[in-house]
């Protein structure tokens, strides 16, 4: 995959001009200026309702920011130490797709100051990112969201669902197969490295995954800030029979109201083999003095319901997590492989224009797609939100059709739907 460095992509001229007309300065933040870098981190923390970052956190935030393209929106004439009124950042991440990877314009740190909200600043930030991505030839954009109602207006769809898992371990029992390796406690510094290394090796197993970064693993391992909650993080790894690390888990134990019983809350569980996954689930579910285990961002086909003896002890809640936005229809569709052949003419509507058009999509027996412009009458009609939602293969096209959001010829929709499906289910194990 050709790697594009988002930091070389200039601030979008259209958003710049629009925000200038509204009285703001929209520009790429200069991280080499200490005061500007600090102001960016402080504004981002404030936007996410966080506390003031400590000096150590500022250093870590700057390290993460340095790998990204950071945009700030400023009041005109603002000093370097003045906090931007809005922030956003982006980088190009290789997203796992069936048969390989696709470059995805990852968007993060979308914040607008409470004093400047609902003036269209976020719209200019988001549209600016989409134009920047398209100008750099990146076919897909993605983000994870705190509010599920904001991003479909920009063409994003909830493409990669995740599951929140709550287990009543006082009744779940254990029915899973034995794993031949062994478990070992880790110091938190080691945990940072092992979580990152296992995630990196495992991410090609699931469509929708992207690489993590050191700042994310520091947070998962409890070294992100100096809070009491962070100090409670513990880590364990699984080594296979040959002594190789194949999985790692970061978790906390918190007292339940009833004395001497605890909740084991999984912060992150990374496993590159089924055996490692079983061993780490077993560690959590059969932990002494624990009545409850909680985890989030698990794949929707996580085997946990089949690892316990009593399925009713597991509450499994599927929710939106990874949101995708197709920018270049032929490039995005041709970047992945398909589960069945199909030959359809597809019409896509897109209020922002990027993905609008009609294409003939021919998927051969080898699972590769050929996508060409077409003047023919479409068999399948859908909006960019629906195409983006179905793209990763986690959300069935038939489900969107039943919801009245995809239209056209029943057989053509069914054929395209069969082609798009992906097994194992797509997943995204991190927030970004
Ligand atoms: C969410 C946030 C970025 C919106 O910024 P904003 O500048 O007020 O948004 P805009 O004025 O550009 O509004 C864009 C559209 O989104 C809608 N919108 C904005 N915030 C919304 C929210 N929290 N819930 C639902 N809709 C929202 C607006 O109504 C507007 O709709 P329209 O285009 O149909 O008129 C801002 O409120 C914020 O920083 N929140 C805290 C941090 C956060 O949640 N970030 C998102 C991370 S995923």
């Amino acid at each position: 995959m050709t790697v594009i460095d988002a930091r070389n992509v200039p601030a979008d001229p259209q958003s710049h001009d629009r925000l200038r007309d509204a009285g703001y300065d929209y520009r790429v933040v200069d991280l080499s200026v200490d005061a500007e870098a600090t102001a960016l981190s402080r504004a981002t923390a404030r936007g996410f309702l966080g506390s003031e970052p400590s000096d150590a956190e500022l250093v870590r935030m700057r390290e993460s920011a340095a790998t990204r393209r950071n945009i700030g929106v400023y009041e005109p004439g603002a000093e370097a130490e003045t906090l931007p009124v809005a922030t956003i950042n982006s980088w190009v991440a290789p997203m796992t797709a069936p048969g390989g990877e696709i470059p995805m314009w990852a968007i993060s740190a979308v914040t607008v100051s409470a004093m400047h909200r609902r003036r269209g600043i976020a719209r200019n930030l988001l549209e600016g990112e989409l134009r920047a991505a398209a100008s750099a030839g990146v076919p897909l954009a993605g983000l994870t969201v705190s509010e599920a109602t904001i991003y479909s207006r920009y063409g994003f769809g909830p493409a990669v669902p995740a599951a929140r898992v709550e287990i009543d371990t006082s009744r779940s029992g254990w029915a899973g197969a034995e794993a031949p390796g062994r478990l070992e406690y880790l110091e938190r510094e080691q945990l940072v490295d092992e979580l990152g290394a296992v995630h990196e090796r495992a991410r090609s197993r699931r469509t929708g995954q992207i690489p993590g970064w050191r700042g994310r693993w520091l947070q998962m391992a409890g070294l992100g800030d100096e809070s009491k909650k962070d100090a409670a993080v513990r880590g364990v790894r699984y080594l296979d029979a040959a002594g190789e690390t194949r999985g790692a888990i970061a978790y906390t134990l918190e007292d339940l109201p009833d004395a001497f019983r605890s909740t084991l809350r999984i912060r992150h569980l990374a496993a590159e083999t089924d055996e490692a996954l079983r061993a780490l689930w077993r560690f959590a579910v059969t932990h002494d003095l624990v009545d409850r285990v909680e985890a989030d961002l698990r794949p929707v086909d996580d085997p946990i319901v089949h690892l316990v003896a009593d399925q009713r002890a597991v509450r499994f809640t599927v929710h939106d997590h990874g949101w995708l936005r197709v920018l270049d229809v032929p490039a995005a569709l041709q970047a992945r492989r398909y589960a069945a052949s199909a030959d359809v003419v597809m019409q896509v509507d897109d209020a922002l224009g990027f993905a609008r058009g009609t294409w003939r999509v021919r998927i051969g027996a080898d699972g590769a797609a050929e996508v060409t412009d077409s003047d023919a009458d479409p068999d399948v009609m859908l909006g960019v939100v629906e195409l983006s939602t179905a793209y990763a293969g986690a959300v069935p096209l038939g489900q969107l059709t039943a919801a009245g959001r995809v239209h056209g010829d029943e057989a053509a929709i069914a054929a395209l739907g069969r082609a798009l499906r992906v097994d194992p289910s797509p997943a995204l194990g991190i927030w970004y």
Side-chain angles (χ1 to χ4, degrees):
M1 198 188 87
T2 336
V3 181
I4 296 156
D5 190 337
R7 292 171 298 186
N8 298 330
V9 181
D12 173 60
Q14 208 171 316
S15 288
H16 171 272
D17 291 355
R18 282 195 194 150
L19 283 167
R20 185 201 51 212
D21 294 347
Y24 299 107
D25 183 15
Y26 164 95
R27 61 177 171 82
V28 173
V29 179
D30 184 355
L31 286 187
S32 67
V33 178
D34 289 350
E36 198 155 307
T38 299
L40 174 73
S41 298
R42 293 183 60 212
T44 309
R46 185 180 68 184
F48 283 111
L49 316 185
S51 43
E52 274 298 329
S54 66
D55 288 348
E57 277 176 88
L58 285 172
V59 170
R60 285 192 290 270
M61 289 172 89
R62 191 168 173 177
E63 267 168 24
S64 294
T67 63
R68 300 177 182 190
R69 171 182 184 270
N70 303 279
I71 296 272
V73 178
Y74 297 85
E75 299 275 18
E79 306 283 334
E81 56 275 5
T82 307
L83 271 56
V85 303
T87 66
I88 194 163
N89 70 35
S90 48
W91 68 104
V92 180
M95 187 189 90
T96 305
E101 290 180 340
I102 177 169
M104 184 193 80
W105 189 269
I107 298 171
S108 186
V110 184
T111 75
V112 176
S113 122
M115 262 43 95
H116 297 78
R117 63 200 278 276
R118 309 300 182 269
R119 298 181 192 181
I121 295 180
R123 174 168 283 278
N124 278 297
L125 292 178
L126 265 305
E127 290 187 8
E129 291 301 316
L130 298 180
R131 283 189 289 270
S135 75
V138 179
L140 189 70
L143 37 71
T144 55
V145 313
S146 50
E147 295 268 2
T149 52
I150 301 178
Y151 294 98
S152 56
R153 58 171 60 69
Y154 310 117
F156 289 87
V160 184
R164 184 175 303 118
V165 182
E166 295 154 283
I167 309 166
D168 175 355
T169 56
S170 66
R171 64 178 278 200
S172 64
W174 181 258
E178 287 292 320
R182 66 191 161 86
L183 296 171
E184 202 174 84
Y185 282 110
L186 293 173
E187 296 299 332
R188 285 188 290 165
E189 288 73 14
Q190 281 177 294
L191 181 59
V192 173
D193 295 340
E194 295 292 30
L195 289 175
V198 175
H199 176 84
E200 186 54 27
R201 292 197 295 272
R203 69 180 170 82
S204 61
R205 281 167 46 106
R206 297 267 184 181
T207 289
Q209 292 276 30
I210 65 165
W213 62 98
R214 191 164 167 80
R216 173 55 73 239
W217 306 125
L218 284 165
Q219 270 175 338
M220 292 297 117
L223 294 170
D225 58 52
E226 288 87 38
S227 67
K228 207 154 183 204
K229 222 168 155 192
D230 261 15
V233 176
R234 299 202 177 275
V236 164
R237 69 172 160 179
Y238 173 78
L239 299 112
D240 66 14
E244 296 292 331
T245 302
R246 296 296 180 199
I249 185 173
Y251 65 96
T252 55
L253 289 162
E254 287 157 39
D255 289 344
L256 282 166
D258 208 9
F260 306 123
R261 312 298 296 181
S262 293
T263 295
L264 190 154
R265 191 163 286 136
I266 297 175
R267 282 201 157 190
H268 191 79
L269 192 172
E272 62 182 300
T273 60
D274 292 342
E275 173 189 304
L277 181 63
R278 287 203 301 276
L280 291 167
W281 268 129
R282 182 180 193 171
F283 164 78
V285 169
T286 63
H287 199 294
D288 284 336
L289 301 176
V290 163
D291 276 356
R292 195 177 160 77
V293 170
E294 294 178 7
D296 199 356
L297 308 192
R298 299 305 309 157
V300 299
D301 57 358
D302 192 292
I304 184 61
V305 281
H306 302 287
L307 289 173
V308 294
D310 181 356
Q311 286 207 355
R312 294 187 186 180
V314 181
R315 186 160 1 134
F316 202 79
T317 313
V318 175
H319 60 90
D320 68 281
H321 180 48
W323 288 63
L324 295 178
R325 204 287 183 207
V326 173
L327 290 163
D328 179 332
V329 173
L333 291 181
Q334 286 170 180
R336 57 157 288 188
R337 292 289 167 143
Y338 296 84
S341 53
D343 187 351
V344 302
V345 176
M346 186 179 80
Q347 184 185 66
V348 182
D349 192 21
D350 180 355
L352 295 178
F354 301 103
R356 191 185 301 138
T358 304
W359 289 274
R360 181 167 178 194
V361 182
R362 267 176 293 192
I363 300 169
D366 60 354
E370 192 191 333
V371 182
T372 46
D373 283 351
S374 174
D375 297 326
D377 288 339
D379 314 306
V380 180
M381 288 156 286
L382 74 181
V384 66
V385 173
E386 289 70 31
L387 177 64
S388 302
T389 304
Y391 175 74
V395 180
L397 205 59
Q399 194 177 15
L400 294 166
T401 308
R405 295 178 54 167
V406 175
H407 305 276
D409 177 71
E410 217 173 285
I413 294 173
L416 187 58
R418 277 193 299 277
L420 282 162
R421 290 311 299 267
V422 168
D423 183 38
S425 194
L428 173 62
I430 55 174
W431 288 96
Y432 66 90

